Amino acid sequence: MADSTDTRDLPKQSRRNILDVMEIDTRLLGMIGAFIVICVVFDVWTGGRFLTPRNIFNLTIQTVSVAIMATGMVFVIVTRHIDLSVGAVLATCSAFMAMTQVVWLPQSFGIPLGSPLIAPVAILIGVIVGVAIGAFQGWLVGYLTIPAFIVTLGGLFVWRNVAWHLSNGQTVGPLDPQFVSLGGIEGTLGVTGSWILGALVSALAVYLLANSRRNKIGHGFPVKPVWAEVAIGAVTIGAIMGFVWILNSYDIPTARLRRMFEARGEVMPDGYRTAYGVPYSVLILIVVATVMTVVAQRTRLGRYIFATGGNPEAAELAGINIRFLTVKIFAIMGLLCAISAVVASARLNFHSNDIGTLDELRVIAAAVIGGTALSGGIGTIYGAILGALIMQTLQSGMAMVGVEAPYQNIVVGIVLVLAVFVDILYRKRTGD
């Protein structure tokens, strides 16, 4: 009888051990599965139009702006705060950069659009404005102890209307060509550059896996079997190179290619064709995600952020300057709003009064769907980016099948509530 019981338990125990041995994040696995299901459903619903290289390219550049800010929102929520002003701060940074390019530099200094100085100066001004706004709001929260909800709710109204005042309520554009190249379709790495980027990122992924294994061995910690490391590495490389392959499959339209050749004073060869490749905006997101992950996992600032979120009282008793830490977190959020403003306005080729509208809700939703706990102390950068991708996929898919914008927002709201509910159940089950 005992032998019969042992036999029945073996399959279940084996499956559990495989997940444990490979150290698979089951929540991340579930999110990836949900993303795949959403994509397949919309592809079937649209008759195969959703998973085309063109649509995936557009989906990618539409996700970048929110995803960049979502990485910063992770730090804000992890420390038990909230930032409702990110969309308005993005609009203010966008207004400053647009006015710098179109009005201030040309009229005050005689520097025309197309000058090599225009884009760098505009971006620098936008970054300074974003960091200053973020640090100011962090000071109000950290040193004056005004709740972040109130400070950033006030900021939502203030900064949105500061942006309106700067532009006199008008659309400002067109923007500098170098600046516009950072928005997506106007600036890409091309086919060869994209394959090189894919190879470099794949090599970096393999290095990180090997380095993590080496560190664990050096400190006497248990490690995964070699086959598990190889399997994870192979899946990672496959995902990276597959993504590059899809973007390299989206050909530049012939008419656009002909205009590009004519702008250089050349004649396009007969039968010539090439693809867009990876947009510069996606490269910016990769850099931001890498830096934010390093900050979260490998720096003292990251340890302080998660320690403070886990137990603020204990963190303060341990000597962490929570007030100054709050200023740093909101300053980082302001910096990321400025970077997002670059991507968002460059993709549109102008600054408009409604730029960034409702982005604060999309960013918070992306972070929460990605697993950041509103109770603080838990969150991941990659989870927030995946959350932003899921949000954009839902909205783009619904738009393609003809769902009107109000109903799209209803669905997104329901998904957000369900994601938080599932997260609560998951944490209760796992004891996190």
Side-chain angles (χ1 to χ4, degrees), residues 29-46:
L29 199 62
M31 289 177 62
I32 294 173
F35 172 68
I36 293 173
V37 169
I38 292 170
C39 289
V40 171
V41 167
F42 279 126
D43 192 56
V44 173
W45 200 346
T46 59

Side-chain angles (χ1 to χ4, degrees), residues 65-117:
S65 178
V66 169
I68 289 173
M69 291 189 289
T71 64
M73 190 61 73
V74 171
F75 285 0
V76 173
I77 297 178
V78 159
T79 51
R80 305 188 182 188
H81 295 301
I82 203 74
D83 192 341
L84 299 175
S85 68
V86 293
V89 175
L90 181 152
T92 299
C93 294
S94 173
F96 267 97
M97 290 186 289
M99 293 297 292
T100 299
Q101 296 173 65
V102 178
V103 179
W104 296 336
L105 286 182
Q107 294 184 4
S108 300
F109 299 96
I111 303 175
L113 285 177
S115 169
L117 288 175

Side-chain angles (χ1 to χ4, degrees), residues 114-147:
S115 169
L117 288 175
I118 288 280
V121 171
I123 293 172
L124 178 61
I125 289 176
V127 166
I128 291 172
V129 170
V131 172
I133 292 174
F136 175 66
Q137 293 188 149
W139 177 77
L140 293 175
V141 175
Y143 285 89
L144 300 189
T145 66
I146 305 174

Side-chain angles (χ1 to χ4, degrees), residues 221-287:
F221 294 124
V223 295
K224 295 188 286 289
V226 175
W227 66 265
E229 299 279 13
V230 172
I232 293 173
V235 170
T236 302
I237 293 173
I240 294 169
M241 301 307 285
F243 175 69
V244 172
W245 173 74
I246 291 173
L247 295 187
N248 279 346
S249 299
Y250 179 27
D251 288 339
I252 302 176
T254 303
R256 181 181 177 83
L257 275 176
R258 188 174 291 111
R259 289 195 300 270
M260 292 168 61
F261 273 89
E262 290 174 354
R264 298 196 300 263
E266 303 173 0
V267 178
M268 189 179 78
D270 292 335
Y272 180 83
R273 59 189 294 270
T274 188
Y276 283 104
V278 177
Y280 291 149
S281 58
V282 174
L283 184 58
I284 293 173
L285 175 59
I286 293 172
V287 172

Side-chain angles (χ1 to χ4, degrees), residues 69 73 83-94 152 155-156 159-160 163 333 337 341 351 353-363:
M69 291 189 289
M73 190 61 73
D83 192 341
L84 299 175
S85 68
V86 293
V89 175
L90 181 152
T92 299
C93 294
S94 173
T152 58
L156 186 154
W159 306 122
R160 174 65 60 182
M333 189 72 253
C337 287
H351 163 78
N353 289 319
D354 63 349
I355 192 170
T357 301
L358 292 182
D359 271 6
E360 49 278 334
L361 303 184
R362 295 187 184 99
V363 169

